């Protein structure tokens, strides 16, 4: 250590030396690039490919980008910085790291927030790997001489009126019991959507969430392969997953650039891009666009999932998290906008070929990737090649985020019970992957999509928003004594990066970020609607089950806090 640094830093105590040794035992990133690429890979995921473009379409194109950038500025970046700081400063996983909030000394409430983050990551990891399994299924199907979703009619998944591009049926107009001479052309389902619904999902054989039907063994094998990939990449912790991200974090950008160049040369691409960048200003007066922008920021950046905290815990103590926050957060936002150009150029081409309006082509959620894009690549030269590249890109996008979520769960338990679990890290990792795989089998049945949407809708909804609110409050007001919480927080960050966070971070942590989050939570609760998929509305018991799933992530926090405060008061202990 240099002489000038020793004048400002005290000699390490035995406890600090033990913590430094513990960091080495847990494992650390080999270099800064591995950490940065892992964060980029974690944040840039499937949501950037289909969720962001859909929300942009649904909220008026360019008018969605405005509140998206505002939410990034006042919620996304401040929370991103806090989560990296907590993980790096403590050097522990999502549960144990909360010991860094001394205001709760003697009241382990802060660790319940860590459990909440871990539950969110666990629930999302279960259904997230199902998307990866779908990507594997389509990627394997792309190795055929003719892409199956563009094959000739007459397959068992086709309806009677079938067309390889889009199917139509002609319905006669009935007037006063007689048929009119004119006929009405009614657009039906595309062949790629038939393949998705009737071949891949086989949801046409299920009547709803209460009728899961039989297990689809081809999808089960894809799901098993997905979990085997995750397991073998995480088996050595960050030492192995850190090497994997050199490829998985960079490959999607290569494919996106190639697809953008190709997409912009397609007929009709301009229609999609113009729709994407042209704002509908009246949308800004609605609360929905602001709610969607906020939720997209949390899904996209991955804040309050615990993945960022877990990754940062493997950093060296003096890593520059201020620089990393700006690079990853802004880079993630730019990727979403860039992916929007890629997707909308292809959607514009689809609208041109199908003679539809752009807004009639786009579907929500998995449909954008698994219905429209397979049909789009079938219109390109060498469609098998483009299909393989696209679904391999989806695979790599999903794996990076999946690595982080599963690692969050594993590291959280490992740091909480080091003597019990660290000697059996490989076995424990296998156990977590096995449990998640078994729970995910329900989503690869004939009615599996209904369960998938239930997980997708509720697993990271209210729980994630409330965890984010608590994170912002604890960071600003619960770090040390309330009177000096923010200054102590800033001093600890200064100890790591060499300077205090500026006024932008301080004001957001104290007022703006928690205020915006509180608004989103209240608004979402007031305007809550039952979950539905297409024309199917979920029964009340399923909706209640989803709400229970969502509040599970935060239920322990207030219950355990009240219990410990009452107990501390009764015993005459201080809660500070």
């Amino acid at each position: 250590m240099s002489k000038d640094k020793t004048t400002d830093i005290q000699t390490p105590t035995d406890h600090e030396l033990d913590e430094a040794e513990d960091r080495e035992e847990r494992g650390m990133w080999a270099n800064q690039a591995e950490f940065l690429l892992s964060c980029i890979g974690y944040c840039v995921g499937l949501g950037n490919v289909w969720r962001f473009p859909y929300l942009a379409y649904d909220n008026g194109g360019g008018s969605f980008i405005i509140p998206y950038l505002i939410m990034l500025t006042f919620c996304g970046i401040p929370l991103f910085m806090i989560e990296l700081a907590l993980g790096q400063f403590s050097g522990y996983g999502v549960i144990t790291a909360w010991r860094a909030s001394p205001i709760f000394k003697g009241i382990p409430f802060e660790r319940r927030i860590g459990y909440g983050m871990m539950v969110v990551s666990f629930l999302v990891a279960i259904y997230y790997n199902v998307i990866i399994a779908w990507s594997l299924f389509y990627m394997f199907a792309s190795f055929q001489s003719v892409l199956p979703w563009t094959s000739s009619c007459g397959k068992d998944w086709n309806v009677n009126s079938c067309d390889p591009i889009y199917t139509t049926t002609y319905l006669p107009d009935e007037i006063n019991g007689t048929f009119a001479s004119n006929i009405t052309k009614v657009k039906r389902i595309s062949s790629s959507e038939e393949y998705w619904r009737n071949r891949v999902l086989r949801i046409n054989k299920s009547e709803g969430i209460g009728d899961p039907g039989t297990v689809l063994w081809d999808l089960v094998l894809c799901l098993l392969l997905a979990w085997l990939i995750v397991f073998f990449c995480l088996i050595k912790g960050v030492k192995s997953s850190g090497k994997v991200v050199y490829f998985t974090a960079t490959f999607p950008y290569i494919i996106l650039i190639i697809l953008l160049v190709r997409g912009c040369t397609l007929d009709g691409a301009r229609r999609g891009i113009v729709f994407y960048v042209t704002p509908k200003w009246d949308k800004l007066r609605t609360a929905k666009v602001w709610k969607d922008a906020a939720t997209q920021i949390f899904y996209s950046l991955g804040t309050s999932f615990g993945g960022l905290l877990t990754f940062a815990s493997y950093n060296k103590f003096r890593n520059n998290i201020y620089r990393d926050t700006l690079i990853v957060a802004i880079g993630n936002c730019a990727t979403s906008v860039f992916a929007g150009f890629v997707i909308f150029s292809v959607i514009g081409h689809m609208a041109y070929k199908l003679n539809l309006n752009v807004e009639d082509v786009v579907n929500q959620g998995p449909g954008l990737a698994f219905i429209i894009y397979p049909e789009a690549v079938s219109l390109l030269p060498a469609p098998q090649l483009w299909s393989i590249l696209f679904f391999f890109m989806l695979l790599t996008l999903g794996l990076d985020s999946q690595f982080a979520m599963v690692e969050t769960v594993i590291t959280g338990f490992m740091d909480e019970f080091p003597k019990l679990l660290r000697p059996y890290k490989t076995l424990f990792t296998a156990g977590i992957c096995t449990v998640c795989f078994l729970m995910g089998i329900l989503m690869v049945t004939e009615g599996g999509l209904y369960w998938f949407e239930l997980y997708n809708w509720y697993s990271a909804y209210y729980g994630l928003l409330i965890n984010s609110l608590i994170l912002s409050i604890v960071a600003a007001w619960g770090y040390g004594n309330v009177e000096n919480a923010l200054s102590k927080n800033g001093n600890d960050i200064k100890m790591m990066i060499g300077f205090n966070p500026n006024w932008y971070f301080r004001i957001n942590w104290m007022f703006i970020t928690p205020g915006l989050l509180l608004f989103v939570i209240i608004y979402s609760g007031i305007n809550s609607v039952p979950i539905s998929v297409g024309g199917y509305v979920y029964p009340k018991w399923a909706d209640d089950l989803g709400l229970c799933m969502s509040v599970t992530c935060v239920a322990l926090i207030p219950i355990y806090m009240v219990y410990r405060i009452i107990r501390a008061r009764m015993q005459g202990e201080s809660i500070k």
Side-chain angles (χ1 to χ4, degrees), residues 134-153:
W134 292 338
S135 301
L136 287 169
F137 185 95
Y138 269 87
M139 188 176 69
F140 294 147
S142 301
F143 284 93
Q144 302 180 37
S145 58
V146 177
L147 295 177
W149 53 88
T150 62
S151 59
S152 301
C153 300

Side-chain angles (χ1 to χ4, degrees), residues 142 381-390:
S142 301
Q384 290 85 355
L385 174 62
W386 290 107
S387 183
I388 292 170
L389 290 177
F390 176 75

Side-chain angles (χ1 to χ4, degrees), residues 204-241:
N204 58 315
K205 299 180 181 179
S206 173
E207 296 181 357
I209 192 169
D211 178 29
T214 60
V215 175
L216 308 177
W217 292 106
D218 47 2
L219 287 181
V220 170
L221 292 177
C222 290
L223 182 63
L224 176 61
L225 177 59
W227 278 112
L228 287 174
I229 294 173
V230 172
F231 169 71
F232 284 111
C233 288
L234 292 178
I235 194 171
K236 297 297 184 180
V238 297
K239 293 181 180 179
S240 59
S241 62

Side-chain angles (χ1 to χ4, degrees), residues 101 252 361 546:
S101 182
V361 177

Side-chain angles (χ1 to χ4, degrees), residues 13 19 29 133 157 379 395 402 406 434 536:
T13 63
E19 287 190 346
W29 300 109
W157 61 80
L379 302 174
L395 175 65
Q402 187 71 354
V406 178
T434 300
Y536 175 78

